[in-house]
């Protein structure tokens, strides 16, 4: 009979088994990365501290309090769970601080402060492994109350059981002996040395080193991912070497049989130029800057596959490809193209090969005909267990800049990955400097490769630090599909605009407005003027309808469309003439990309400056400085031809860089230097980072539009009756993607808020006419200017 401590981490799992399994999994995940050194620590030292963290992370569960809690009845458990004595993370973290100090005691190449820092990384990772990371200045305090609690917990440990546990762990690389006397020493030792560390932490910002933040997040990520997977997944996935040659894109294109027209010739020329570039693996940051509609998706994906293969052959590790986009509307579109490429080449679409991850993704994971249980699937998806991950900027950048447990679960996947940033112009200027610093350090220290993809390349990374995959100027100079005309000298009310409007009968028109309010009013005016069917789109239309309308536009079923700017980036629709309300230049260029994409008769994009009775609609949405820079550049010309876009966009970004402040980026960079994960004062903490700022407080409203929506709402109300939180989440995840097809977000200050049921505004099928218009969507009452 094998040795057992008779201590348990979970009702069905011996504590030693859990600790050893987590250690093996965390080390395996570390070895899957190419990290050689980080901050001042070698790969070997990082491996050793990960091992200490993993072996110690649940030692606090050995207390009599926790063991009693684990095997009590449910009602008793609730009472015991509320007791501080039952909690295990603080005791585990204190033990790990001491164990780590002994682990590195004889390392001559580390000074005393560096050894203490490794101990603290273990301490903080374990202390917060069930929660979020917090400011290290707060975390480096262990007070008398904590000391008293810890000693009380230590007293409750059964000596004989703990002795067996420690013996088993020593056979699995725990370097020191532990008993109750030593545990008490752990407490006093940690308390004493945290005081010394706190003095260092007060000055740590002076180092101006992002690497310590990356190291902390990497170790935390390795620990929490291994811990959650060991408990939540019955059979841990083995990552296999899956070859996906870049020629799969060639095969797909050949199979699709594109017409031999001029635009396709240019697309092919650009594609070949990308793939014929010499690869130097020391070059980590690439730019694919091409006019809209020139095949950036195919070219960037094929290049990433070629790079993946080269890295494997030369560096002997297999990078994951993380394809990131700003908007949900284009994720599905691009994911479908990549699915088609793989399917055409007979490559399995199992989730370990291709994974779509955003907040509305289906919680579904399949590998080799095995479908995983919902909770297992959730963990595998949130941990990015796949070769090709298609995700949003929010998921990616909130993994990179975060203190939160859930996003940091996948932080270690960034190491050694190839990240495609598509439509990168969507990143707000205020974060350029922050992302420049973080992404540059990722490439140098975590061996990450980054491909910027856009028609309007922002100056996040200096051009001289990026390897150009094509000569962008060459392609822009050949573009003659469209010209931009400017009519911005006079600001027009919508009534004045519609009176001036002269529509040609044989042409299609797209009108892109800045607010839902202006789009809705203009739709009515245009409908009265033309009497024609018009497709209307805004975020107040449920996604179920929006997708159907985009398909109708693609099929050319309707020649007139009025939308907010949600169609700008990447949505593959095409009109002869586009009218765009005034916006920053990069947004205007994106709208131009919906005009004559496939080089038919010459197209026009006309920029107008629209206003309500108080101010310009653009001023409700956009930064005034960006609008002023755009107006200044545009005032020099009445028309800009497409072949001039390259020069104009570069001028715009140079002017933006010169005049816009980087204060917000600098505040976050300072928080990162200080490991200030959260803030209790007026300065920013890492947790304050939000890629997309809410314009105003919003309420999610479910629109019971049809029979499917009725069934979904009925199922939702049944799920809300389930008492068990985990089971409730599992059941909701089964319907979440479909449920949100009928959800819109509205300002909380509209006058006609529908009844709120279970956290959602609820518009029943019988009350649709009161709240929802089948053309223009939610029907708000009140004076609020509704943004896009």
């Amino acid at each position: 009979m094998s040795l057992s401590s008779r201590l348990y981490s979970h009702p069905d799992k011996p504590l030693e088994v859990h600790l050893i399994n987590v250690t093996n999994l965390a080390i395996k995940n570390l070895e899957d990365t190419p990290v050689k050194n980080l901050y001042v620590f070698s790969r070997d030292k990082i491996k050793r501290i990960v091992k200490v963290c993993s072996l110690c992370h649940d030692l606090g569960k050995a207390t009599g309090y926790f063991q009693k809690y684990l095997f009590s009845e449910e009602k008793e458990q609730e009472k015991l769970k509320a007791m501080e004595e039952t909690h295990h993370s603080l005791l585990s973290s204190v033990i790990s601080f001491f164990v780590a100090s002994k682990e590195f005691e004889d390392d001559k190449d580390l000074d005393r402060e560096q050894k203490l820092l490794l101990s603290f990384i273990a301490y903080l990772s374990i202390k917060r492994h069930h929660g979020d990371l917090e400011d290290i200045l707060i975390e480096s305090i262990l007070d008398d109350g904590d000391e008293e609690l810890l000693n009380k917990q230590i007293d409750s440990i059964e000596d004989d059981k703990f002795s067996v546990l420690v013996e088993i762990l020593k056979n699995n690389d725990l370097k020191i002996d532990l008993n109750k006397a030593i545990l008490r020493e752990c407490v006093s030792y940690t308390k004493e040395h945290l005081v010394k560390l706190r003095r260092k932490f007060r000055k740590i910002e002076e180092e101006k080193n992002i690497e310590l933040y990356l190291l902390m997040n990497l170790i935390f990520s390795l620990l929490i991912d291994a811990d959650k997977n060991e408990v939540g997944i019955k059979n841990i996935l083995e990552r296999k070497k899956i070859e996906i040659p870049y020629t799969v894109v060639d095969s797909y294109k050949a199979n699709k049989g594109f017409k031999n027209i001029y635009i396709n010739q240019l697309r092919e020329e650009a594609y070949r130029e990308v793939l014929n570039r010499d690869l130097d693996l020391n070059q980590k940051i690439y730019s694919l800057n091409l006019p809209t509609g020139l095949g950036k998706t195919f070219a960037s994906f094929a290049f990433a596959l070629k790079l993946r293969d080269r890295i494997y052959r030369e560096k002997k590790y297999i990078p994951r490809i993380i394809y990131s986009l700003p908007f949900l509307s284009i994720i599905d579109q691009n994911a479908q193209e990549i699915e088609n490429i793989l399917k055409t080449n007979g490559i399995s679409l199992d989730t370990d090969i291709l994974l779509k991850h955003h907040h509305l993704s289906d919680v579904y994971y399949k590998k080799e005909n095995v479908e995983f249980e919902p909770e297992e699937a959730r963990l595998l998806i949130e941990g990015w267990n796949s070769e090709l991950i298609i995700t949003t900027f929010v998921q990616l950048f909130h993994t990179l800049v975060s203190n939160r447990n859930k996003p940091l679960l996948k932080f270690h996947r960034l190491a050694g990955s190839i990240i495609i940033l598509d439509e990168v112009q969507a990143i707000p200027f205020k974060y350029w400097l922050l992302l420049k610093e973080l992404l540059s350090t990722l490439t140098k220290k975590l061996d990450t490769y980054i491909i910027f993809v856009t028609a309007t390349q922002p100056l996040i990374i200096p051009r001289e630090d990026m390897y150009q995959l094509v000569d962008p100027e060459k392609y822009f100079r050949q573009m003659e599909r469209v010209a931009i005309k400017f009519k911005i000298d006079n600001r027009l009310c919508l009534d004045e605009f519609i009176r001036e409007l002269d529509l040609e009968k044989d042409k299609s028109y797209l009108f892109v407005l800045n607010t839902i309010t202006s789009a809705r009013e203009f739709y009515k005016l245009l409908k009265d003027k033309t009497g024609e069917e018009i497709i209307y789109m805004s975020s107040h239309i449920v996604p179920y309808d929006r997708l159907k309308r985009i398909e109708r536009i693609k099929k050319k079923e309707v020649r007139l469309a009025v939308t907010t700017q949600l169609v700008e980036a990447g949505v593959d629709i095409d009109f002869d003439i586009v009218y765009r309300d005034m916006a920053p230049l990069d947004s205007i260029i994106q709208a131009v990309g919906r005009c004559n994409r496939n080089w038919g008769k010459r197209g026009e994009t006309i920029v107008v400056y629209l206003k309500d009775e108080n101010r310009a609609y653009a001023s409700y949405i956009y930064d005034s400085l960006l609008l002023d820079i755009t107006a200044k550049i545009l005032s020099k010309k009445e028309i800009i031809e497409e072949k001039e876009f390259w020069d104009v966009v570069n001028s715009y970004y140079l002017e933006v860089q010169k005049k816009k402040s980087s204060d917000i980026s600098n505040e976050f960079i300072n928080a990162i230097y200080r490991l200030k994960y959260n803030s209790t004062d007026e300065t920013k903490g890492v947790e304050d980072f939000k890629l997309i700022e809410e314009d105003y407080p919003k309420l999610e409203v479910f629109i019971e539009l049809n029979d499917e929506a009725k069934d979904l709402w009925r199922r939702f109300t049944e799920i809300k009756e389930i008492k068990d939180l985990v089971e409730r989440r599992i059941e909701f995840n089964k319907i979440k993607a479909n449920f949100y097809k009928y959800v819109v977000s509205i300002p909380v200050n509209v006058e006609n808020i529908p009844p709120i049921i279970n956290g959602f505004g609820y518009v029943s099928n019988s009350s649709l006419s009161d709240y929802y218009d089948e053309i223009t969507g939610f029907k708000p009452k009140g004076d609020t200017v509704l943004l896009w």
Side-chain angles (χ1 to χ4, degrees):
M1 184 176 169
S2 61
L3 201 60
S4 170
S5 69
R6 291 178 292 121
L7 292 167
Y8 291 85
S9 62
H10 303 83
D12 58 347
K13 185 162 286 186
L15 181 52
E16 60 269 21
V17 171
H18 175 62
L19 294 174
I20 292 163
N21 287 348
V22 168
T23 303
N24 292 337
L25 190 52
I27 294 300
K28 185 165 80 71
N29 283 335
L30 174 64
E31 287 173 347
D32 197 31
T33 75
V35 176
K36 289 179 181 168
N37 57 72
L38 198 49
Y39 194 56
V40 295
F41 303 117
S42 66
R43 183 179 177 91
D44 173 66
K45 288 178 173 55
I46 294 169
K47 182 176 177 179
R48 284 159 63 196
I49 198 64
V50 168
K51 193 171 280 190
V52 168
C53 288
S54 306
L55 283 173
C56 295
H57 80 279
D58 272 354
L59 281 175
K61 288 185 174 181
T63 66
Y65 295 105
F66 186 86
Q67 293 299 307
K68 182 182 177 185
Y69 157 77
L70 206 55
F71 295 103
S72 293
E73 296 295 324
E74 194 174 332
K75 277 189 180 174
E76 180 69 7
Q77 273 194 335
E78 283 177 29
K79 213 185 302 174
L80 292 170
K81 193 173 185 179
M83 290 172 54
E84 283 190 321
E85 290 87 348
T86 307
H87 302 169
H88 69 280
S89 293
L90 182 60
L91 179 55
S92 303
S93 67
V94 164
I95 298 168
S96 76
F97 191 102
F98 185 79
V99 172
S101 71
K102 297 300 179 187
E103 170 74 31
F104 296 101
E105 195 170 38
D106 298 327
D107 283 51
K108 301 281 190 285
D109 55 338
L110 296 178
D111 64 30
R112 190 174 62 85
E113 276 197 348
Q114 290 164 353
K115 292 173 184 177
L116 277 179
L117 195 53
L118 283 170
S119 293
F120 181 79
I121 288 170
Y123 170 86
L124 182 56
S125 297
I126 292 171
K127 186 180 179 189
R128 292 294 165 195
H129 77 279
H130 288 299
D132 301 334
L133 294 171
E134 297 190 7
D135 182 358
I136 59 169
L137 277 176
I138 306 296
E139 295 289 32
S140 51
I141 298 171
L142 200 63
D143 61 28
D144 292 343
D146 293 326
E147 188 173 12
E148 187 181 332
L149 170 67
L150 290 165
N151 283 321
K152 193 175 176 185
Q153 289 179 309
I154 291 164
D155 287 341
S156 75
I157 294 172
E158 290 188 41
D159 291 290
D160 55 340
K161 291 181 179 179
F162 192 68
S163 172
V164 174
L165 172 66
V166 171
E167 204 55 42
I168 295 169
L169 296 182
K170 281 166 72 178
N171 290 333
N172 285 272
D173 240 5
L174 181 69
K175 298 288 173 62
I176 68 166
D177 198 18
L178 291 173
N179 55 45
K180 284 161 72 170
I182 295 172
L183 293 190
R184 289 188 191 93
E185 187 186 342
C186 292
V187 177
S188 55
Y189 180 90
T190 303
K191 186 179 179 184
E192 176 194 340
H193 286 85
L194 283 177
V195 173
K196 295 174 184 173
L197 274 167
R198 202 157 188 269
R199 286 197 285 269
K200 173 184 169 62
F201 292 159
R202 284 200 183 97
K203 297 179 180 177
I204 202 165
E205 182 185 352
E206 294 169 11
E207 291 185 22
K208 297 192 180 305
N209 194 331
I210 283 175
E211 290 183 40
L212 182 56
Y213 168 83
L214 296 183
L215 177 65
M216 182 68 238
N217 288 14
L218 177 68
I219 289 169
F220 185 67
S221 175
L222 288 164
L223 173 63
I224 60 176
D225 189 37
D227 186 31
K228 287 175 169 58
N229 278 262
E230 199 281 332
V231 175
I233 298 170
K234 290 178 194 134
N235 299 304
I236 299 296
L237 285 189
E238 287 295 324
R239 188 181 178 201
K240 294 178 182 172
K241 181 183 180 299
I242 298 166
E243 287 193 31
I244 311 173
Y246 73 88
T247 51
V248 295
V249 183
D250 289 325
S251 304
Y252 175 67
K253 287 166 65 199
N255 189 61
K256 209 165 178 186
F258 292 107
K259 292 176 186 172
N260 188 28
I261 55 176
Y262 185 57
I263 186 72
N264 283 341
Q265 291 168 16
L266 277 181
R267 286 168 180 153
E268 186 61 21
E269 184 183 339
Y271 178 79
R272 289 293 151 211
E273 186 175 347
V274 169
L275 292 180
N276 290 336
R277 286 285 196 212
D278 289 335
L279 273 179
D280 175 1
L281 295 188
N282 293 317
Q283 176 60 53
K284 301 286 185 68
I285 303 177
Y286 299 88
S287 168
L288 179 54
N289 186 186
L290 282 169
T292 55
L294 240 64
K296 293 187 289 292
T297 302
F298 285 160
S300 61
F301 183 54
F303 178 75
L305 289 174
K306 183 178 180 182
L307 184 58
R308 176 180 183 266
D309 179 62
R310 180 72 170 272
I311 290 168
Y312 173 67
R313 284 190 285 112
E314 290 194 18
K315 295 191 173 185
K316 305 305 178 197
Y317 75 87
I318 306 171
R320 298 171 198 271
I321 296 174
I322 302 167
Y323 194 136
S324 187
L325 300 123
F327 308 116
L328 288 181
S329 55
I330 50 176
I331 278 197
D332 288 334
Q333 177 182 293
N334 286 29
Q336 189 59 59
E337 286 285 22
I338 289 171
E339 279 182 23
N340 292 341
I341 289 167
L342 298 178
K343 211 184 294 180
T344 300
N345 287 272
I347 295 170
S348 158
L349 293 183
D350 282 356
T351 326
D352 66 321
I353 295 174
L354 179 64
L355 169 67
K356 227 172 28 171
H357 183 220
H358 51 76
H359 73 288
L360 298 181
S361 308
D362 286 329
V363 182
Y364 174 83
Y365 196 99
K366 175 174 166 285
K367 180 183 179 182
E368 294 171 354
N369 299 319
V370 175
E371 286 185 27
F372 286 75
E373 292 295 321
E375 273 300 277
E376 293 181 313
R378 183 182 64 80
L379 282 171
L380 290 167
I381 291 165
E382 289 176 358
W384 282 358
N385 288 271
S386 190
E387 297 304 311
L388 311 172
I389 299 114
I390 303 175
T391 192
T392 58
F393 280 4
V394 167
Q395 287 290 343
L396 176 65
F397 292 125
H398 282 259
T399 300
L400 188 56
V401 189
S402 184
N403 72 317
R404 288 175 51 233
N405 193 290
K406 186 176 172 182
L408 287 175
L409 189 76
K410 56 187 179 292
F411 182 89
H412 65 97
R413 300 290 185 215
L414 301 178
S417 64
I418 297 168
I419 300 173
I420 301 173
L421 295 174
D422 201 349
E423 306 292 356
V424 71
Q425 77 286 339
I427 296 170
F429 173 82
K430 62 184 176 182
Y431 295 135
W432 283 12
L433 180 61
L434 170 66
L435 294 178
K436 175 199 166 201
E437 295 298 317
L438 279 167
L439 294 174
S440 298
T441 313
L442 269 190
T443 62
K444 289 169 190 159
K445 303 308 297 184
L446 299 191
D447 211 24
T448 304
Y449 290 77
I450 299 169
I451 307 166
F452 287 86
V453 180
T454 182
T456 52
Q457 180 71 70
L459 302 176
I460 297 171
I461 304 286
R463 292 195 193 283
E464 60 271 21
D465 293 341
M466 295 192 289
Y467 183 77
Q468 299 291 336
L469 290 175
V470 295
D471 173 4
E473 198 171 350
K474 177 178 80 174
Y475 294 96
F476 278 96
R477 296 278 183 246
Q478 295 181 69
M479 292 291 112
E480 295 179 350
R481 295 172 297 179
V482 64
I484 308 177
K485 292 183 179 177
F486 303 101
K487 296 184 178 179
I488 59 172
D489 291 339
N490 297 317
R491 299 186 183 189
L492 303 173
C493 294
L494 293 174
D495 286 341
E496 294 170 317
F497 177 44
I498 199 77
R499 279 200 300 274
E500 288 186 9
L501 200 58
D502 185 20
L503 302 180
E504 297 177 47
K505 288 191 174 174
D506 62 340
K507 292 197 170 165
S508 59
Y509 291 80
L510 171 66
F511 298 87
V512 182
L513 288 100
N514 281 327
T515 69
I516 294 172
T517 302
S518 61
R520 183 187 286 115
E521 287 177 22
F522 182 71
Y523 166 82
K524 290 170 185 168
L525 292 169
L526 188 62
K527 184 75 176 168
D528 290 343
K529 182 181 179 91
T530 65
E532 292 185 47
E533 183 183 1
I534 302 165
I535 285 184
Y536 172 88
M537 283 197 297
S538 80
S539 61
H540 278 194
I541 306 288
V542 294
Y544 171 84
D545 267 344
R546 287 210 303 265
L547 290 170
K548 282 167 53 173
R549 292 178 192 191
I550 287 171
E551 282 308 308
R552 292 194 67 205
I553 291 172
K554 286 181 179 179
K555 291 175 183 174
K556 310 279 188 192
E557 291 179 12
V558 179
R559 79 180 188 106
L560 302 177
V562 175
T563 88
T564 57
Q565 62 268 44
L566 58 81
V567 299
E568 275 179 1
V571 178
D572 191 6
I573 56 176
D574 197 4
F575 289 84
D576 299 322
I577 295 175
V578 173
Y579 277 87
R580 177 64 170 96
D581 192 5
M582 181 61 177
L585 185 66
D586 52 344
S587 291
I588 291 170
I589 298 291
Q590 289 301 320
V592 173
R594 308 317 117 207
C595 183
N596 191 21
R597 279 173 79 81
N598 294 312
W599 214 313
K601 290 180 182 176
R602 182 180 165 82
E604 279 183 355
T605 293
I606 301 158
V607 180
V608 291
Y609 220 141
L610 301 176
K611 63 175 184 175
D612 61 16
E613 61 274 15
N614 298 314
R615 56 198 260 208
Y617 289 111
S619 70
Y620 290 106
I621 299 283
Y622 297 115
D623 183 295
S624 59
L625 181 59
L626 296 181
L627 292 172
D628 289 346
I629 292 170
T630 301
K632 181 183 168 188
I633 288 172
L634 301 188
S635 66
K636 296 171 185 171
K637 300 190 172 204
E638 288 183 8
I639 296 178
I640 298 178
E641 300 288 346
E642 189 176 10
K643 62 187 176 186
E644 300 174 275
F645 287 3
W646 168 256
D647 295 324
V648 172
V649 168
N650 285 337
S651 300
Y652 170 75
Y653 280 131
L654 284 168
E655 199 69 15
V656 169
Q657 197 168 50
K658 196 162 48 174
K659 293 193 172 174
K660 282 284 282 178
S661 163
S662 293
D663 287 354
I664 291 172
S665 272
N666 280 317
E667 285 185 60
F668 281 112
I669 291 167
N670 287 335
I672 284 168
Y673 289 156
R674 295 163 64 189
L675 294 186
K676 187 175 183 172
Y677 283 103
N678 67 330
S679 180
T680 53
D681 58 28
E682 70 286 351
T683 63
K684 290 194 186 301
V686 173
E687 73 171 357
D688 297 315
F689 175 79
K690 287 182 179 61
L691 187 68
I692 300 170
E693 296 282 357
E694 286 290 332
D695 302 306
Y696 41 70
K698 291 175 183 172
L699 172 71
E700 291 188 320
V701 176
F702 184 89
I703 309 292
E704 204 172 64
L705 191 65
N706 53 28
D707 288 342
E708 182 189 32
K710 284 182 190 175
D711 288 342
L712 285 163
W713 184 259
R714 178 186 53 76
R715 182 76 189 107
F716 173 68
T717 54
E718 290 170 357
I719 289 166
K720 280 295 182 180
E721 296 299 315
I722 298 171
K723 286 192 170 61
D724 184 272
L725 285 174
V726 174
E727 188 188 344
R728 195 191 310 164
R729 184 181 65 205
I730 289 169
E731 290 304 312
F732 181 63
N733 280 338
K734 290 177 183 176
I735 67 165
K736 184 167 77 169
N738 285 328
F739 183 86
Y740 272 92
K741 289 193 305 190
Y742 297 97
V743 172
V744 295
S745 290
I746 65 166
V748 296
N749 59 348
V750 298
E751 290 173 10
N752 58 329
I753 294 282
I756 296 174
I757 300 174
N758 291 321
F760 284 88
Y762 171 55
V763 176
S764 66
N765 192 261
S766 59
S767 63
L768 271 179
S769 58
D770 295 330
Y771 293 99
Y772 194 80
D773 183 276
E774 63 177 6
I775 302 294
T776 57
F778 187 79
K779 292 155 66 168
K781 292 179 183 172
D783 298 327
T784 306
V785 174
L786 302 166
L787 309 186
W788 65 294

